[in-house]
Amino acid sequence: MQKETLSASEAMQKLVEGNKRYLAASSNTGDISSKIRKFTCEEGQSPYAVVITCSDSRVIPESIFMAGIGELFVIRVAGNVMDDHQLGSVEYAVDHLGCKLVVVLGHEHCGAVDAAIHGEPGGYVKSITDEIRKAIGEEKDALRASCLNVERSVSIIKESLGLTESKPGNDLKVCGAVYYIGSGSVEFFE
């Protein structure tokens, strides 16, 4: 067992293959053994991808991509919106853990997106729906709104990491995706 750093394309391929295994599985095959727990405790984590996703209990990146302990750096917040806390977490994973792939994973039937489309929530939820409204404008189709929300988060991350222009030698990739709860499949953007 050793730490490895994958390129963005290798990490993407690993996510795609994991999702294919997930679609055919009835349980997660990711390594959660005492051996991997001990290894990551002693040697630290070496995730191959960052996944920013919604807090929705039906969206479980480690299962969706058939990943085990130490493989994914997962950031969860309702509506997969970005603020300084999430951006700091992404920055940490990229700069200190060597992740080359950052994926914003939205999903169908998102309650936060639905609240942004149809409701006027109060309290702290309003800060989330206000961010989503910036992304979706007047969009009323829930799936399209979820995709627009993902695209906004991708844009914010790229700007934060200085990836708004193509730079030679930069192998960091930031992309969006949508998870279809009903089928279990993931569609990557770009």
Side-chain angles (χ1 to χ4, degrees):
M1 198 174 302
Q2 65 181 15
K3 286 184 168 187
E4 65 177 324
T5 301
L6 299 179
S7 70
S9 62
E10 290 168 329
M12 178 66 78
Q13 188 58 39
K14 200 165 183 173
L15 290 178
V16 169
E17 289 170 3
N19 185 241
K20 285 180 183 174
R21 287 192 314 277
Y22 171 71
L23 293 174
S26 59
S27 63
N28 188 346
T29 59
D31 188 352
I32 59 168
S33 68
S34 60
K35 184 177 176 183
I36 193 68
R37 289 192 304 268
K38 184 178 186 327
F39 178 79
T40 57
C41 178
E42 293 171 358
E43 302 295 326
Q45 61 180 317
S46 185
Y48 64 83
V50 179
V51 178
I52 301 102
T53 195
C54 187
S55 300
D56 191 302
S57 64
R58 301 167 293 177
V59 181
I60 308 166
E62 294 84 356
S63 293
I64 293 166
F65 300 117
M66 299 301 268
I69 294 171
E71 293 187 81
L72 298 178
F73 191 88
V74 178
I75 303 163
R76 294 179 71 129
V77 60
N80 44 268
V81 296
M82 299 304 298
D83 69 13
D84 290 348
H85 298 96
Q86 286 77 26
L87 290 170
S89 296
V90 170
E91 185 179 83
Y92 173 78
V94 169
D95 292 346
H96 298 281
L97 300 177
C99 291
K100 302 291 185 209
L101 178 64
V102 179
V103 176
V104 178
L105 182 64
H107 65 95
E108 67 178 341
H109 306 295
C110 180
V113 169
D114 185 66
I117 292 171
H118 298 107
E120 288 296 329
Y124 294 110
V125 175
K126 184 176 179 345
S127 67
I128 295 168
T129 57
D130 285 351
E131 281 301 309
I132 294 170
R133 283 191 186 111
K134 289 176 188 175
I136 67 173
E138 297 300 316
E139 182 62 57
K140 297 298 181 199
D141 178 80
L143 182 57
R144 178 72 187 129
S146 288
C147 293
L148 290 170
N149 188 46
V150 165
E151 290 170 3
R152 175 170 160 75
S153 291
V154 166
S155 178
I156 291 169
I157 294 167
K158 285 181 175 181
E159 184 176 319
S160 169
L161 297 175
L163 299 176
T164 52
E165 297 175 14
S166 183
K167 295 179 183 175
N170 186 356
D171 60 349
L172 177 63
K173 180 176 181 166
V174 181
C175 71
V178 65
Y179 173 62
Y180 295 95
I181 292 172
S183 70
S185 66
V186 174
E187 177 186 344
F188 289 94
F189 306 167
E190 296 179 65

